[in-house]
Amino acid sequence: MDRSFLKYCLIFGLLFVGQLTGYGQMLKGKVVDEKGEAIYGVRIHSGSERAVSDPDGRFQIRRTGKAFQFIHTRYDTLFVSATEIETKSVFTMRSLIQEMDQVTIIKNRLNHFDIGYLPPVKGVQIATGTNAIIKTEGHQGAKSTGNPRELFAKIPGINIWESDGAGIQMGVGGRGLSPNRAANFNMRQNGYDISADALGYPESYYTPPLEALEAIEIIRGSASLQYGTQFGGLMNFVIREAPLDSPFELTSRWTGGSFGYLGAFNRVAGKHRRWSYQLYHQYKKGDGYRPKSAFFQHQFFGQLAYYLNDAHRLKLEYTGMNYDARQPGGLTDFQFEQDLFQTNRSRNWFRVRWNVLALHYDWFVSSKAHFNVRAFGMHSERYALGFLGKINQLDPGGNREMIAGLFRNAGVEARYLKRYQIRFFGKKIKSAFLVGSRYYQGITNSEQGTAPDGDGSDFRFLNPRDLEASSYRFPSRNAAAFTDNLFYLGKNWTANLGARLEYIQSASEGYYKQYSIHPLNMDTLGIYTINGQSGLKRVVPLIGAGATRRIGKLTSMYTNVTTNYRAVNFNDIRINNPNIVVDTMMRDEYGATSELGFRGMIGRNLYVDLAAFYLFYGDKIGIAPEEDGVRKIRTNIGDAVNKGIEVFSEWDFLRSIRDSSEQSATIFVNFSWIDATYIRSRERNYVGKKVEYVSEYVFRTGLKYKGKKWSVQLQYSYNSGQFADASNSFEASGDAVLGYVPSYQVLDLSGRWDLPKGFRIEGGVNNLLNEQYFTRRATAYPGPGILPSDGRSFYLTLQYQFKKRAR
């Protein structure tokens, strides 16, 4: 046989074997930008294999294809041959937009600060003006109980209602807006709605576990028009993604604490070929801070994602939560001063059942275009059971009263984001264009009637077909179209224009009963059933605009103005509450927000974010005494103006003294001054009064030391006094619904220690000085009256994490 032929066969055979052995090989590398800064979140594709770069830009992936794709929403897609990736270890991606150098550098420097702001373009969203992202991985504090003082410690202007000490429900408001169940924020999880009814009842009874989160995004200003009409903007809980470099990852956390607290969080997640998955369960129970109180909660979350190919992805998510809570009720001012552990309520219970299903579809049309559709549906309910009378009345026993809310809603939202260039006077202007639409339909059933005697959690009506108080159905329908356009004007300027058009249809239908009572012997003389139905349709246009100017390499100034709107909640109108009379002629609220800010890195270790805002709130709804002074009414108080200054700064003073990658010592300062005042009202005595539940001064500061394996933080929080009603009553009413909420200050201590082989210990003391205070006067459940906040409490967490490496 010809030797040359044998030689060619041998060479071909070696090449063929080499090609075969190359497939399945695990390859490692790092992704950087033009400045050499690591890029986080780059999706690397090789045939059926997927990987994502970590915060240091590093990745590892098995070779199953002839070429590799590096995809990121803010960079040009990079194509690399198999031969090239075997010879290189660092891969450079070119930025699509001018601000990315600044954003990337700041993001890297803020990694150990656990706070930062969103890039101008992320996925299918545009973020401008005042926005923030809370990174929860390095968050210091009580994760199991989700202590909101620690969670929102670095977000200026946030006022907090502390309704429970276990983080079951979140009550936060910003810039002088009511914290009531975060109803002034558009509350979302992974981009879809989680509140009871986005139009008819936008209160949030569900809060995802802090232990499951990757981040919390807060977007205000003109960019918030992408999400709805709320004055407060967007608050989006981002669930941690399943790892794309492991077929199996286990995280197990067990927490014990004061007042019989026990918390368990267990999560499994991973990736196999084109599939990724995660499933977690959280359980927590406790006896509560006060007698006659207790709670237990279960939360479930499941996620399954499938990559059809490099350009298409599907993701299905289910969220389930249920909890029961025994509630000791509120206190009068005298009772609070005398002994905050006493209670007049021993038979009050609260129950929530929450179920949300969501489907995501992503189409990465090109390196510069992204299309997303998210469909979601909810089937949830909540029950309040007990004696609803004023807190200065003893529970007479006998049958109890129950309010049931049943929430059924569904919606779909589509978004398309395209990066493009236009020519203006011969110059190329880079831009990002977002357009989207949304359709939402919900039905809320609200029922109120008599429930069984006893002191247990027996949530059923005695006469479900003929309720003694009321039965109403509140259908709502919403269609919206929105757009936002971001322009990069030269090297230092960006501008955005946004608009939203809302069609809102809301209605009510049902009945309530009136009772004629004999004034002497209190016998029932007659029962009258009043049937009624009403409806309202409106079309609401909203606009917003903003601009940003880079004034230094890592600093910029920004300004924003946007219009706001909030529809009347029909569900609030027909609840029979002996503590409050509701004005059935309430009108929708409207307004506008403007802001001016400065943010960025000064040097390598000092981050500063300053903002001044002006918020006009027309026809604001609030609580005030009626003219006769006997009852309280919930109505349109009048027009209000909230203006203020927000300051946040964090400084790593240890790294300013010496450069260290393993140690840091930081101090942060968070201060806000808010002047919220009624400027017009149909009742003259409200003009010039302070808006209810607005602390003029909120101050938080903390000192944190972080070593290679351990960290410790001490945090101080202060809120100045607040009024509970529009009349600014210093003297408390007999039922404690109206009155002053005094200032308070709280100290929290936390720490953690990373141990070998995947173990970690966390612990701390909340309310270290055992301050006795309260943050709200409830008009109904879980009061009415003063709700004392928790005293000193301890907690200890043991975490174990195991991650199977991909072969």
Side-chain angles (χ1 to χ4, degrees), residues 524-563:
T524 300
L525 301 178
I527 302 175
Y528 307 95
T529 301
I530 293 89
N531 293 283
Q533 61 181 27
S534 60
L536 187 60
K537 299 178 182 179
R538 53 272 212 209
V539 176
V540 182
L542 300 167
I543 59 173
T548 302
R549 188 186 190 284
R550 178 188 276 183
I551 58 176
K553 184 178 181 181
L554 298 177
T555 57
S556 58
M557 292 191 68
Y558 59 89
T559 185
N560 240 287
V561 62
T562 184
T563 54

Side-chain angles (χ1 to χ4, degrees), residues 35 51 65 82 113 119-120 139 170 202 214 311 408 518 530 716 723 751:
K35 298 287 187 179
F113 284 169
H139 171 76
M170 182 175 292
E214 176 185 328
R408 312 286 186 264
H518 193 284
I530 293 89
Y716 171 82
F723 294 102

Side-chain angles (χ1 to χ4, degrees), residues 374-677:
R374 59 197 70 164
F376 55 92
M378 173 183 287
H379 189 282
S380 303
E381 49 200 42
R382 68 113 170 97
Y383 301 90
L385 170 69
F387 176 59
L388 287 178
K390 297 181 179 181
I391 200 61
N392 51 4
Q393 295 176 331
L394 293 175
D395 184 346
N399 291 335
R400 292 174 288 180
E401 195 167 5
M402 187 169 76
I403 301 174
L406 310 176
F407 312 107
R408 312 286 186 264
N409 60 62
V412 60
E413 186 171 298
R415 293 165 166 263
Y416 176 74
L417 188 140
K418 170 73 173 178
R419 296 182 181 87
Y420 66 98
Q421 288 186 350
I422 60 174
R423 285 190 173 273
F424 188 73
F425 289 104
K427 294 184 178 180
K428 290 183 178 180
I429 298 178
K430 293 184 178 181
S431 305
F433 172 69
L434 170 72
V435 65
S437 62
R438 166 188 170 94
Y439 179 78
Y440 177 90
Q441 186 168 329
I443 297 178
T444 294
N445 291 326
S446 181
E447 299 178 328
Q448 186 173 0
T450 302
D453 190 3
D455 59 3
S457 55
D458 190 355
F459 291 93
R460 60 187 175 89
F461 288 114
L462 291 178
N463 302 296
R465 297 184 179 181
D466 185 22
L467 296 176
E468 294 79 5
S470 64
S471 177
Y472 270 84
R473 181 175 178 268
F474 304 100
S476 63
R477 187 172 297 176
N478 170 228
F482 53 89
T483 184
D484 206 338
N485 211 120
L486 186 66
F487 302 95
Y488 291 86
L489 308 174
K491 295 182 179 180
N492 297 320
W493 282 94
T494 62
N496 78 291
L497 295 172
R500 186 179 185 92
L501 184 65
E502 290 271 352
Y503 168 78
I504 301 173
Q505 178 182 341
S506 53
S508 66
E509 53 189 41
Y511 70 87
Y512 69 97
K513 292 184 178 180
Q514 284 187 347
Y515 291 79
S516 177
I517 306 296
H518 193 284
L520 298 179
N521 58 23
M522 305 305 291
D523 287 342
T524 300
L525 301 178
I527 302 175
Y528 307 95
T529 301
I530 293 89
N531 293 283
Q533 61 181 27
S534 60
L536 187 60
K537 299 178 182 179
R538 53 272 212 209
V539 176
V540 182
L542 300 167
I543 59 173
T548 302
R549 188 186 190 284
R550 178 188 276 183
I551 58 176
K553 184 178 181 181
L554 298 177
T555 57
S556 58
M557 292 191 68
Y558 59 89
T559 185
N560 240 287
V561 62
T562 184
T563 54
N564 306 110
Y565 177 84
R566 191 161 184 261
V568 165
N569 304 332
F570 277 103
N571 191 40
D572 282 347
I573 294 176
R574 272 274 50 97
I575 292 295
N576 182 13
N577 184 345
N579 306 290
I580 297 292
V581 175
V582 179
D583 180 3
T584 59
M585 301 300 292
M586 278 193 295
R587 301 179 300 275
D588 295 342
E589 301 169 305
Y590 66 97
T593 304
S594 58
E595 61 185 3
L596 177 67
F598 166 89
R599 67 181 170 213
M601 297 291 301
I602 300 176
R604 295 185 57 85
N605 300 298
L606 176 63
Y607 176 68
V608 176
D609 196 339
L610 314 173
F613 68 88
Y614 182 95
L615 188 156
F616 171 75
Y617 206 140
D619 280 339
K620 187 181 186 305
I621 295 173
I623 296 174
E626 282 195 303
E627 292 182 9
D628 57 17
V630 176
R631 299 183 302 175
K632 275 73 68 179
I633 184 170
R634 187 171 188 265
T635 185
N636 297 101
I637 300 296
D639 298 341
V641 166
N642 299 3
K643 57 181 182 289
I645 296 173
E646 300 171 338
V647 178
F648 174 76
S649 178
E650 188 160 12
W651 177 40
D652 192 333
F653 56 87
L654 180 60
R655 291 185 177 180
S656 297
I657 299 172
R658 59 172 184 169
D659 191 14
S660 172
S661 60
E662 296 183 352
Q663 293 180 313
S664 68
T666 62
I667 182 170
F668 75 85
V669 174
N670 174 355
F671 170 78
S672 64
W673 167 77
I674 302 175
D675 177 23
T677 307

Side-chain angles (χ1 to χ4, degrees), residues 205-207 297-300 319-323 352-354:
Y205 289 92
Y206 157 72
T207 303
Q297 180 195 46
H298 290 274
Q299 280 206 36
F300 312 88
T319 301
M321 180 197 72
N322 61 73
Y323 79 85
V352 173
R353 300 291 185 261
W354 222 251

Side-chain angles (χ1 to χ4, degrees), residues 297-364:
Q297 180 195 46
H298 290 274
Q299 280 206 36
F300 312 88
F301 179 81
Q303 182 188 81
L304 188 64
Y306 180 69
Y307 286 85
L308 284 76
N309 52 43
D310 292 349
H312 300 273
R313 182 182 67 173
L314 285 171
K315 186 164 59 176
L316 181 67
E317 297 178 355
Y318 165 73
T319 301
M321 180 197 72
N322 61 73
Y323 79 85
D324 284 11
R326 190 179 186 184
Q327 299 178 329
L331 300 174
T332 65
D333 290 69
F334 176 76
Q335 290 171 329
F336 178 80
E337 295 295 332
Q338 182 187 49
D339 179 13
L340 60 81
F341 292 101
Q342 61 183 301
T343 176
N344 288 336
R345 302 289 184 264
S346 61
R347 308 188 303 149
N348 286 11
W349 289 83
F350 197 74
R351 168 173 288 180
V352 173
R353 300 291 185 261
W354 222 251
N355 298 278
V356 182
L357 188 67
L359 177 66
H360 303 257
Y361 166 66
D362 286 281
W363 177 19
F364 303 98

